[in-house]
Amino acid sequence: MNPDSTIVTDVVCPLCGSLCDDITVRIENGKIVEVRDACDMGESKILGHDRIKSPMIREKGELKEVSYEKAVKKSAEILAKSKRPLLYGWSSTTCEAHEKGIKLAAEVGGIVDNTATVCHGPSVIAIQTVGLPSCTLGQIKNRADLIVYWGSNQSQAHPRHMSRYSSFIRGFFREEGRKAKYVVVIDVRDTTTTNVADEFIKVEPGHDYKLLSALRAVLADKADVLPDDVGGVPKDAIMNLAERMKKAEFGVIFFGMGLTQSRSRYNNVVNAIALTRELNQFTKFVIMPMRGHYNVTGFGQVLTWETGYPYAVDLSRGYAWYNPGETTSTDVLNRGECDSALIIASDPGAHFPGKSLKHLSKIPVIQVDPYHNPTTEFADVVIPSAVAGIEAEGCAYRMDNVPIMVRKLIDSEYKSDEEIIDDVLNKVMEIRGGK
Amino acid sequence: MAMTITLKLKEAIMVPIEADSATPDNFAGNAEKDIKAIKVWHGNTEVALDRLFDVNVNGNADKPADVKIIFDGDMSRVKHIGEGMTDGEIVVNGDVDMHAGALMEGGKITVKGNADGWAGRNMKGGELIIEGNAGHYVGSGYRGEARGMRGGKITVNGDAGDYVGNQLAEGEICINGNAGLMPGLDMRGGKIIIDGSAALPGAGMLKGTVIVKGDNIEMMPTFGADGTETVDGVEMKKFVGDLAVRGRGKGTLYVK
Amino acid sequence: MADMIIKNGTVYDPLNNIPGEKKDICIKDGKVTDKIKEKDATVIDAKGKTVMPGGVEIHAHIAGAKVNAGRLMRPEDAWMGKVPKGKLTRAESGSSIFNVYATGYKYARMGYTTLFEAAVPPLLARHTHEELEEIPIADKGAYVLMDNNWLGMEYIKNGEIDKLAALSAWFLKATKCMVLKFVNPGGNEAWGWGKNLIEVNEHTPHFEVTPAEILNAFAEVNERLGLPHSIHVHCNNLGHPGNVGTTIDTFNAVKDIKPGRSDRKAILHATHAQFHAYGGSNWKDVESESKVIVDYINSNDHVTIDMGQLMFGDTTTMTADGAMEYDLHKLSRRKWINCDVELETGSGIIPVRYSPKVAVNTVQWAIGLELALLIKDKTKIALTTDHPNAAPFTKYPEIIALLMSSTMRDGMMKGVHESIKRTLLPSECAGIELTLEDIAKITRGTQAKLLNFVELGKGHLAPGADGDVAVYDIDPDKLDGSRNPDQIINAFRKAIYTIKGGEIVVKDGEVVATPMGRTFIANPEIDESLNKAMLEDLTEKFVHYYSVNMANYPVQSRYLRNPFEIPLKPSKEVA
Ligand code: SF4
Ligand SMILES: [Zn+2]
C-alpha cells in the first residue's frame, strides 16, 4: 500500500437523506481514491468530479474569472440594494452555513427558502395541519413488521435505505430480517422498489387522497359507503390492506414525492398522517417522509429554531412571515416578485419550472456551489466553495431528524459555504453601516 | 361627515406593496398630510403612501364607517388590501394581489377585477365581493390553525381556485362560477355555495354545509347518501360526511 | 468590563439569610465582591427597588428536537408572538414555543440568567446543543434522558450497578449533559409497542424491569457518580386522575438510597408535581390530592419538587412521555407529533388550551399553587410551569402575583369551574401569601440549592457568586402585594436591570446586550477496567441495533463554544 495512504472509517455520505455514516474511504496524497460501502450515487459524489475553478463575474454576457474578494463584494452590493432578495438552496450544505445564511437574509430583508419548496414542502404543511406520529429509523429497524412505501421509489432515490433501516435489515425484535416483514408498495406505476415488495397496489395518478380516505373509512367502520373501486383499487384490496395494517405489531408508511407532488399535494400527506394516527387506535403505527437531499431536513431544523418556521420565510418586514404558495421560491419567481437571488448548494437551473427560470434570467443571480451546473448558465456572480461533508465539516440532519456531523476528509483550496456567506454578510454590513 | 380617499399607483411595480395599513381604520380622523405619510411596505423598505401612490383626499371623517377608499387601477401587485378593517368601504377598480380582506372584521370590500390567493383569509365579519375570479384559499385560515374564517360573507362572481373555505368555521362563501379542488376542505361550520362544478367537495369536513349546483362533480368515496332535499327550489341529493373522519364527519353536502 | 455597584436596593438573598436588607452589591470581573472603588465603577441606583440574584430555571423545554418539532408544527403559535428585529436583537417568534432568540431575551427580561433544558434524548443531543448555542445571554445546561435505555435496563435486570454507573457516565459525556433525567421510566419502551406502564411495579415488555427498579438503580448510580443534582424524574402515570398513588410509590422507591455527597439530602427531584397529584377516577370527578404530596415533602428530605403550575390559555405540551401525549391527542383530537427514539426514549407533542370552564383544568390550576403555598420549606419547591407544558414561562410574573396575593386568587376563583371545591385553594390555602423572600427562594435560591450550584455561584449574592443580578421595580417598604398584584406582575415581567456576569443585559425591560453564556457539563471519571467492560456491551448495541455508528454518536466538542465542567464528588466504587 502507498505510504501516503490513509483509511478513514465511519465517514458520513453527504448525498441523500439516508445520511449513511458507515462509509470507509482511502485517501492518497490529499485525494480520495477509494470509497467502500456507499451506493453508486454516494460513491461518485465522494470521489468527486469537475469543479468550478475560480470566482467569476458576468460581463457583457460572459463569465470572467475574478478574485474572491471582488466576487464577494459584488454579491454584497447586489444583496444590499435589493428590495426583495431571494436566498435559495441550502439543502446540500451544513447547518452552520444555514445559520449564517439566515442571518444574512435577516440583514438584507430577504426571503430564505430551501429545496423543500420543490420536494417535501407539502409534508411540512401537512405536519402543521395534523402533526406526525413518527420515530427514528432504528426504531423501525428493530420493530417494524409491516412496511408500506407510498409514492416513493427508494431503491433509486435512497439506494441503501432498505438495507440499512427498513425492509432488509435485521433488528432486535426482527432477527429474521426481510422474512420477518411484510412489504407493500403503493404507487402509480411499477418501479424498481415494487420488485422487492410482497404486494403492489397500483393507484391511478392523482387518486391517492381518495384511497387514503377509503382506508380511514374502513377503520372508522364505514366501509359500507365505499364504492367497489377507489382510484383503480378494488374495495377488497382496500379492506385487506386496512386489516393487515390493524394486525401489524409495528407498522410504518414511508412516503415520497409521489404523494407530495401529485394532485392535492399536502392534503395527500395530511390524509396519510391521519390514517397513521387512526391506526394507533389498534396498534403501533408511524409514518416518515423520505427526504431527498442529505441536509434538506437540517435546513428546516435551523430555520425553525431561528425564525419559528421551517422553509419559505420572508424576513422583509423585520419579522418572519411564512406562507407557502406565496413565500415559496417557485411562487416568488413565477410571480416575478424578487429583484435578486442568491443560490447556494442546489441547482434550480435543473429543477425549477421554466417560468421561474425566466425570471431568474432577468434579475442578478449569485451562485455559491462547488460544481458547474445549469444554474451557472445564468448566474451573474459565481463563487466556488468547498464540498460540505468532504472538504468541510458541520452538522446535518438525517430524514428522521437525527443530527450527524459530516466530516472534513481532505483539504480544499476553496472556502466553505459557511465562510463564504459570512464574508458576504460582513461586506453587506459594511456597505449598510453607512446608512 | 364622509371622506373618500383615492389611491392610484404612480408607476407599475415589480416588488409587491403590502398595504395593510391603508384601511379606513387607519385613515379615519387623519388630515390629508397625515394620510399621505402613512407607511406601507415595499419589499424590505417602509415608505410613505404618497411615494408610491397619488393620494387624493376628499372630505374628512372621524370614524372608519365614514371612510371610503378607492384603489384606482390595477392593484395586482398590492397585497393585504383592507386587511383587518372593521368598518367603512374599499373599492378596487382592478385586480388585487394576495390577502385582500384578510382578517376583515367589518365593512365592505368590492374588487372589480380578479383577486389572488387568500382573499378573505381568517375573515371575522363584513362583506367581500370579488367581481372577477379568485385564486386559491378563498376564506381559508392560516397555516396550522384549526379554524379559519369565522364570520362575514364572501362572494366571487367568477371562478375560484382550490381549497375554498379551508378550515371554515362560520360565515358564508358563494362562488358563482366553478371552484377548484376540495372546496370546504376540513371545514367545521359555515356554508359554501358553488353554482358551477368542483372536485372532491367537502373532503375532510366535520360540520357545515357545501352546496355544489353544477353538473361536473368528482365525489369523495367517503360520503354517505342521505336522500334528497330541495335547496333554493332545486331538488338535490344529500350526503353526509366526510365519513373518513372517525366519529366526527358530520357535514352536509348537496349535489345535483 | 467595568466594575459595578448596585446601591441602596433592598436585597433578597435567602441562601445567605438576607431576607430583604438595604445593602449594596459590588461586582468585579463578573463576580460579586465585598468592595470596589466606586469612582471607576458603573453605579446603579436601586433605591426603593428589589434586588435579587439572577433567576434560575430548573425545568423547562427550551431547546432540542421536541421543542423544534413543536415550533414546526405550530406556525400559528409562531405568528401570534412575532416581534420584529431591533438594532441589537434578532426577530422573535412564538407565543408558547419561542424561537431561540425570543427564549434568551424573554428570560433575561424577567431577570433570569441561568437555564436548564430538562429533556435531551441522547441520540438527538447534538440538536439540543445546536439550539442552546443560539440562545443568547443565559448560562445553560441540560439533562439527559436515561429512562428507557436498553443497555441500562439490561444491567438493572442483571443487577450490574457498576456497569450502569459506567454507562451513565458515558451518556453524560457523549451528550454533554449534567443531570440524569427519567421520563415515564419503562413506559416509553412499552409505548414502542403502543402500550404504557401505569404502576411503578409493572414490568416493561421484554426487558422485564419495573419503573421502581429503574429509578432505584439509577438513584444509586447518581450518588456514586457524585453528580450535583439528584436524579430528576417525571413520574409514571402523568396527568391521569387518581395518579397520586403512583407518585408516592415513586418517592418510596428510592427511600433506601443514601446521598452520596454531604451538600445535598435529596435523592429524587420530582418535576412538575402538579401533574402527579390527582385524586378521583375520571376527568369529571378528578380532585386535588396535593395534600398527600405536601405532607410527604414536609416530612421527608429525600424528595424535592417543582410546581409545574398550569395557567389558563393556549399552549403546547411536549414531553418524552409519548404515551401520555397520545392520550391527550385522543381527548382533543388536535394535531399530534410523536417521536420514539431507538433504544432510549420517546416523545410527543400536542397543542392544548386550558380553560377555567373545564373541571380538570381548574383542579390542575389550583394544585400547583397549593403545593407552593403549603410546603413549609420553600427550598424544597421550585417555581416552574414545565414550560411550555402547563404554561409558557412568560407566565411566571402572574404566578408570583397569585402566590403573593390571596385577593388575586379569590378574584380568579370566582371565574373557574365548580371543581375548585375539590381543591384546597379556597380552604386551607385561604389567606396564605408568600413574601418576596419566599419568591426569591422559589425562583432562584431553591433551584441553585437543588442543583447544587451555590458553590458554582448561582442563586445567591455572597462574595464569589456570579455577578448575575436582577433589579425589580418594587419598593418592599411600600408594597402591599395583596392589593397590588398588577404591580408585582409588571415588575417581574420587565426587570429594570438584568445583570449577567457583571454586564447589563436588560435595562428597563429592554435587551441592551446579548453576550453568549457558558454551557455546564459533567464528565464523571470511571475506573478504566469497568469502563472497558461496559464499552464491550455498548459496542454490541451500536453494531446491531442503533442506526448510527458509535464513532459518530458522541457530541463533538465543536458544538459547545463555552463549555464549563462542573466539579463532581464521586464515591470510591466508580472512580
Ligand atoms: S443511500 Fe444515500 S446516504 Fe447512503 S450511500 Fe447512498 S447516497 Fe449516500
Ligand atoms: Zn418537562
Side-chain angles (χ1 to χ4, degrees):
Chain A
M1 204 196 269
N2 185 317
D4 281 337
S5 175
T6 22
I7 303 279
V8 187
T9 59
D10 304 294
V11 168
V12 187
C13 171
L15 186 66
C16 88
S18 297
L19 210 61
C20 302
D21 70 328
D22 59 345
I23 315 291
T24 300
V25 303
R26 191 155 61 85
I27 301 169
E28 275 178 21
N29 303 320
K31 290 220 159 45
I32 297 169
V33 293
E34 191 190 340
V35 178
R36 272 177 245 153
D37 294 333
C39 67
D40 292 350
M41 264 161 53
E43 177 176 334
S44 109
K45 171 150 187 195
I46 297 169
L47 283 173
H49 52 94
D50 267 5
R51 303 284 287 272
I52 298 172
K53 297 275 177 307
S54 158
M56 296 182 282
I57 292 179
R58 193 174 296 276
E59 271 172 47
K60 300 200 189 86
E62 294 277 314
L63 282 171
K64 297 261 162 61
E65 295 194 357
V66 296
S67 69
Y68 174 77
E69 290 69 27
K70 214 166 162 190
V72 165
K73 183 160 174 268
K74 179 79 183 167
S75 306
E77 283 167 1
I78 291 170
L79 293 171
K81 71 165 189 239
S82 296
K83 275 206 173 65
R84 198 162 172 75
L86 169 67
L87 292 80
Y88 172 82
W90 310 106
S91 299
S92 294
T93 188
T94 61
C95 295
E96 287 78 356
H98 301 160
E99 261 169 19
K100 289 281 191 303
I102 296 157
K103 197 169 178 195
L104 176 62
E107 181 63 32
V108 299
I111 296 167
V112 57
D113 189 22
N114 76 331
T115 59
T117 270
V118 286
C119 57
H120 275 281
S123 309
V124 169
I125 305 174
I127 294 168
Q128 293 168 341
T129 310
V130 278
L132 188 80
S134 195
C135 62
T136 63
L137 284 164
Q139 194 78 349
I140 291 161
K141 151 176 162 174
N142 290 315
R143 293 180 205 254
D145 60 343
L146 173 62
I147 297 178
V148 180
Y149 299 110
W150 198 313
S152 84
N153 182 10
Q154 40 269 73
S155 70
Q156 283 195 338
H158 304 81
R160 297 183 68 218
H161 188 276
M162 288 192 282
S163 59
R164 267 177 68 77
Y165 311 118
S166 52
S167 314
F168 296 110
I169 188 77
R170 292 166 201 275
F172 187 74
F173 298 102
R174 300 291 170 237
E175 282 173 15
E176 302 261 78
R178 177 67 182 83
K179 269 191 250 154
K181 306 166 196 194
Y182 190 84
V183 177
V184 181
V185 169
I186 303 174
D187 214 321
V188 294
R189 70 181 76 83
D190 224 322
T191 69
T192 43
T193 306
T194 51
N195 299 338
V196 298
D198 295 297
E199 187 179 343
F200 171 47
I201 295 173
K202 190 169 171 179
V203 57
E204 286 167 14
H207 289 249
D208 302 85
Y209 186 91
K210 291 200 279 190
L211 180 57
L212 286 157
S213 290
L215 285 163
R216 287 177 68 194
V218 177
L219 298 186
D221 287 327
K222 301 286 182 192
D224 51 322
V225 303
L226 295 181
D228 293 340
D229 167 303
V230 177
V233 182
K235 185 170 174 179
D236 280 355
I238 296 171
M239 302 292 288
N240 285 341
L241 179 60
E243 203 50 36
R244 193 176 284 285
M245 287 173 148
K246 279 159 74 172
K247 293 241 167 74
E249 276 185 48
F250 186 114
V252 55
I253 298 172
F254 290 108
F255 65 93
M257 301 209 342
L259 217 51
T260 65
Q261 298 295 335
S262 62
R263 183 174 78 144
S264 60
R265 296 158 54 97
Y266 73 90
N267 288 295
N268 298 330
V269 184
V270 166
N271 223 357
I273 294 171
L275 170 68
T276 308
R277 220 159 70 165
E278 294 303 310
L279 282 162
N280 278 279
Q281 296 276 331
F282 306 93
T283 183
K284 182 81 183 182
F285 228 96
V286 296
I287 181 165
M288 192 181 292
M290 298 287 298
R291 308 294 303 261
H293 295 279
Y294 79 89
N295 203 18
V296 64
T297 307
F299 180 81
Q301 292 286 2
V302 180
L303 190 60
T304 303
W305 75 58
E306 293 278 323
T307 70
Y309 313 96
Y311 75 116
V313 168
D314 177 357
L315 292 158
S316 58
R317 289 174 71 161
Y319 50 73
W321 162 243
Y322 159 81
N323 193 31
E326 175 183 13
T327 55
T328 21
S329 303
T330 45
D331 296 285
V332 170
L333 290 167
N334 287 352
R335 292 165 44 84
E337 281 192 11
C338 59
D339 55 355
S340 74
L342 177 135
I343 312 282
I344 179 166
S346 73
D347 183 14
H351 301 288
F352 273 17
K355 210 171 167 194
S356 295
L357 296 180
K358 208 167 153 206
H359 187 69
L360 277 172
S361 71
K362 283 193 223 149
I363 58 173
V365 172
I366 305 150
Q367 181 189 29
V368 179
D369 209 284
Y371 311 110
H372 193 285
N373 60 30
T375 301
T376 321
E377 301 304 321
F378 52 80
D380 300 285
V381 183
V382 178
I383 306 179
S385 61
V387 182
I390 296 171
E391 300 166 345
E393 66 176 15
C395 203
Y397 285 71
R398 205 167 63 186
M399 61 168 69
D400 57 347
N401 296 305
V402 171
I404 299 176
M405 196 183 98
V406 298
R407 311 276 188 90
K408 175 176 174 166
L409 302 169
I410 51 174
D411 288 331
S412 165
E413 56 183 294
Y414 306 108
K415 289 202 182 196
S416 67
D417 294 319
E418 182 187 353
E419 291 166 324
I420 295 167
I421 296 296
D422 203 34
D423 289 341
V424 174
L425 173 62
N426 286 328
K427 206 76 204 169
V428 166
M429 286 169 43
E430 201 183 298
I431 295 170
R432 294 164 72 103
K435 296 194 206 171
Chain B
M1 277 200 316
M3 172 160 75
T4 304
I5 301 106
T6 310
L7 300 169
K8 207 172 166 155
L9 270 176
K10 289 195 156 142
E11 55 185 329
I13 42 166
M14 176 171 91
V15 171
I17 295 167
E18 304 199 359
D20 38 304
S21 56
T23 55
D25 300 77
N26 282 343
F27 287 175
N30 276 315
E32 179 168 343
K33 74 168 195 332
D34 299 325
I35 289 174
K36 286 180 169 168
I38 283 176
K39 292 268 172 44
V40 291
W41 284 91
H42 189 205
N44 52 24
T45 331
E46 243 185 329
V47 294
L49 199 58
D50 70 349
R51 279 262 305 273
L52 298 167
F53 294 91
D54 288 323
V55 183
N56 195 319
V57 180
N58 246 313
N60 55 64
D62 287 339
K63 48 186 202 307
D66 301 329
V67 177
K68 178 172 179 178
I69 304 172
I70 299 170
F71 283 90
D72 211 7
D74 176 20
M75 298 290 145
S76 60
R77 283 280 139 141
V78 184
K79 292 179 177 174
H80 301 277
I81 286 180
E83 180 162 313
M85 69 189 270
T86 62
D87 212 339
E89 191 181 352
I90 293 179
V91 176
V92 186
N93 295 320
D95 297 348
V96 294
D97 206 339
M98 294 169 170
H99 308 289
L103 294 154
M104 178 176 181
E105 291 180 22
K108 183 175 172 185
I109 301 176
T110 310
V111 177
K112 303 274 188 188
N114 303 320
D116 212 315
W118 289 280
R121 168 178 63 81
N122 292 95
M123 191 164 160
K124 291 183 195 143
E127 192 175 4
L128 171 63
I129 299 165
I130 296 156
E131 296 189 352
N133 300 323
H136 301 314
Y137 295 104
V138 173
S140 72
Y142 182 57
R143 302 286 180 199
E145 285 173 337
R147 287 180 171 72
M149 177 170 168
R150 288 157 192 255
K153 183 172 178 184
I154 303 175
T155 308
V156 179
N157 286 347
D159 297 337
D162 298 340
Y163 312 130
V164 168
N166 187 11
Q167 309 127 293
L168 179 64
E170 250 178 83
E172 190 174 314
I173 304 174
C174 300
I175 311 293
N176 296 338
N178 299 319
L181 196 58
M182 300 182 176
L185 173 67
D186 298 339
M187 72 190 264
R188 39 185 73 226
K191 192 172 180 182
I192 300 174
I193 304 161
I194 298 157
D195 285 351
S197 63
L200 308 179
M205 76 189 289
L206 304 178
K207 268 190 195 155
T209 307
V210 180
I211 303 166
V212 189
K213 298 181 178 171
D215 297 317
N216 198 356
I217 300 168
E218 181 187 351
M219 284 286 286
M220 282 293 295
T222 46
F223 277 70
D226 190 19
T228 61
E229 238 172 65
T230 310
V231 181
D232 298 336
V234 183
E235 172 140 303
M236 298 191 86
K237 286 184 246 164
K238 186 182 177 191
F239 290 88
V240 181
D242 184 340
L243 300 176
V245 190
R246 179 178 49 88
R248 292 200 307 168
K250 294 180 177 151
T252 313
L253 171 67
Y254 295 98
V255 297
K256 225 165 74 181
Chain C
M1 202 183 302
D3 297 349
M4 181 180 287
I5 179 162
I6 303 157
K7 291 185 74 155
N8 301 321
T10 307
V11 176
Y12 291 85
D13 182 8
L15 295 187
N16 294 308
N17 295 314
I18 299 175
E21 272 172 30
K22 301 253 168 1
K23 196 172 178 302
D24 297 346
I25 301 290
C26 303
I27 303 173
K28 191 178 182 58
D29 300 328
K31 300 271 182 197
V32 177
T33 182
D34 274 331
K35 256 199 206 89
I36 49 152
K37 283 204 205 98
E38 214 180 305
K39 73 170 175 35
D40 308 324
T42 310
V43 178
I44 289 177
D45 180 14
K47 190 160 186 286
K49 313 290 179 203
T50 291
V51 177
M52 290 185 184
V56 181
E57 174 59 87
I58 196 172
H59 185 111
H61 303 276
I62 52 172
K66 241 181 355 277
V67 180
N68 220 32
R71 291 185 191 112
L72 183 145
M73 181 173 74
R74 300 205 64 191
E76 75 283 13
D77 186 89
W79 179 241
M80 280 195 322
K82 67 180 182 298
V83 179
K85 69 174 180 186
K87 276 208 181 68
L88 192 80
T89 52
R90 300 281 295 268
E92 298 179 42
S93 73
S95 43
S96 72
I97 327 163
F98 310 107
N99 66 337
V100 285
Y101 303 108
T103 303
Y105 305 153
K106 285 179 199 295
Y107 267 117
R109 288 185 192 117
M110 300 194 318
Y112 275 66
T113 50
T114 309
L115 312 175
F116 292 94
E117 158 56 46
V120 180
L123 177 63
L124 311 176
R126 205 171 273 100
H127 181 164
T128 305
H129 287 293
E130 285 217 275
E131 289 194 31
L132 287 179
E133 287 295 299
E134 290 287 291
I135 295 177
I137 302 173
D139 288 333
K140 289 147 293 200
Y143 309 167
V144 61
L145 292 162
M146 296 298 289
D147 36 63
N148 294 266
N149 191 289
W150 279 11
L151 186 54
M153 290 193 289
E154 286 173 14
Y155 283 156
I156 292 164
K157 178 82 190 156
N158 301 332
E160 297 176 279
I161 296 294
D162 290 347
K163 281 187 177 174
L164 188 67
L167 181 79
S168 304
W170 189 88
F171 272 100
L172 282 165
K173 282 188 263 199
T175 59
K176 302 211 183 306
C177 287
M178 47 153 275
V179 164
L180 300 176
K181 168 82 189 292
F182 302 84
V183 171
N184 192 18
N188 294 345
E189 172 57 26
W191 176 238
W193 300 113
K195 304 187 169 69
N196 198 6
L197 302 187
I198 302 299
E199 302 296 338
V200 300
N201 291 318
E202 279 181 87
H203 288 81
T204 195
H206 180 81
F207 295 92
E208 290 298 319
V209 289
T210 67
E213 288 163 354
I214 293 172
L215 293 177
N216 187 279
F218 275 107
E220 170 75 34
V221 160
N222 194 77
E223 300 315 311
R224 287 195 192 180
L225 294 177
L227 291 170
H229 190 34
S230 61
I231 58 169
H232 193 101
V233 178
H234 156 141
C235 300
N236 301 81
N237 205 6
L238 179 143
H240 296 118
N243 65 4
V244 74
T246 309
T247 310
I248 297 298
D249 290 347
T250 307
F251 296 174
N252 286 330
V254 297
K255 214 172 170 176
D256 61 320
I257 307 293
K258 298 279 160 294
R261 34 196 292 174
S262 56
D263 50 10
R264 155 166 70 68
K265 286 187 187 138
I267 294 299
L268 181 151
H269 179 81
T271 188
H272 38 70
Q274 174 272 125
F275 282 122
H276 303 275
Y278 306 154
S281 57
N282 60 52
W283 296 111
K284 290 207 176 72
D285 73 1
V286 61
E287 60 187 9
S288 167
E289 286 288 6
S290 65
K291 195 74 178 109
V292 178
I293 307 279
V294 168
D295 290 346
Y296 197 101
I297 302 293
N298 281 344
S299 52
N300 287 280
D301 284 335
H302 73 285
V303 181
T304 58
I305 63 169
D306 60 82
M307 290 164 73
Q309 175 63 30
L310 180 144
M311 295 293 277
F312 302 120
D314 195 84
T315 191
T316 311
T317 68
M318 51 177 67
T319 152
D321 192 341
M324 196 279 305
E325 292 287 346
Y326 178 62
D327 285 347
L328 288 179
H329 161 68
K330 277 194 292 184
L331 286 176
S332 76
R333 301 279 293 268
R334 289 179 71 177
K335 51 189 172 184
W336 164 55
I337 282 182
N338 179 76
C339 183
D340 298 339
V341 181
E342 62 204 58
L343 290 88
E344 293 177 353
T345 187
S347 73
I349 310 164
I350 71 154
V352 68
R353 182 167 194 86
Y354 298 121
S355 165
K357 296 196 172 64
V358 171
V360 55
N361 294 163
T362 295
V363 170
Q364 291 175 310
W365 171 74
I367 289 175
L369 298 172
E370 290 164 12
L371 294 170
L373 292 167
L374 297 177
I375 285 176
K376 287 199 198 94
D377 179 353
K378 305 294 185 215
T379 64
K380 285 179 171 179
I381 177 160
L383 190 159
T384 63
T385 54
D386 189 17
H387 165 83
N389 283 296
F393 66 78
T394 45
K395 296 277 188 188
Y396 287 179
E398 281 166 66
I399 297 168
I400 292 170
L402 281 167
L403 293 171
M404 291 183 74
S405 167
S406 58
T407 322
M408 181 176 171
R409 293 200 301 272
D410 291 344
M412 263 185 86
M413 276 193 278
K414 288 192 187 113
V416 299
H417 191 272
E418 61 167 18
S419 67
I420 193 72
K421 289 185 201 134
R422 303 197 296 267
T423 76
L424 304 177
L425 209 57
S427 48
E428 280 206 55
C429 296
I432 302 181
E433 295 186 333
L434 299 198
T435 62
L436 280 170
E437 188 196 1
D438 294 329
I439 298 301
K441 282 182 186 163
I442 65 171
T443 55
R444 49 263 286 163
T446 301
Q447 284 80 346
K449 193 172 170 231
L450 300 187
L451 288 158
N452 243 325
F453 262 58
V454 180
E455 269 177 49
L456 284 168
K458 296 299 184 190
H460 72 113
L461 293 172
D466 285 357
D468 295 359
V469 188
V471 181
Y472 298 112
D473 191 10
I474 295 176
D475 184 347
D477 294 339
K478 295 186 186 142
L479 179 75
D480 180 354
S482 189
R483 267 188 289 171
N484 285 312
D486 283 347
Q487 191 194 341
I488 297 170
I489 294 170
N490 292 334
F492 282 102
R493 203 173 265 166
K494 289 191 163 198
I496 314 179
Y497 288 98
T498 303
I499 294 146
K500 166 71 179 38
E503 181 179 4
I504 298 175
V505 291
V506 169
K507 188 165 186 296
D508 296 325
E510 297 305 326
V511 173
V512 294
T514 57
M516 285 309 298
R518 294 170 290 171
T519 303
F520 300 110
I521 55 171
N523 282 337
E525 281 188 31
I526 293 292
D527 171 82
E528 220 169 282
S529 62
L530 175 59
N531 202 41
K532 225 177 126 210
M534 180 279 294
L535 281 177
E536 272 173 32
D537 302 335
L538 186 60
T539 304
E540 276 291 289
K541 290 280 177 280
F542 273 98
V543 169
H544 296 297
Y545 307 124
Y546 269 105
S547 63
V548 174
N549 277 13
M550 193 166 172
N552 288 316
Y553 187 96
V555 176
Q556 291 80 0
S557 54
R558 75 191 301 273
Y559 284 86
L560 275 65
R561 265 176 286 193
N562 299 316
F564 185 92
E565 195 178 322
I566 54 175
L568 309 179
K569 296 181 181 167
S571 69
K572 305 190 272 310
E573 286 106 319
V574 293

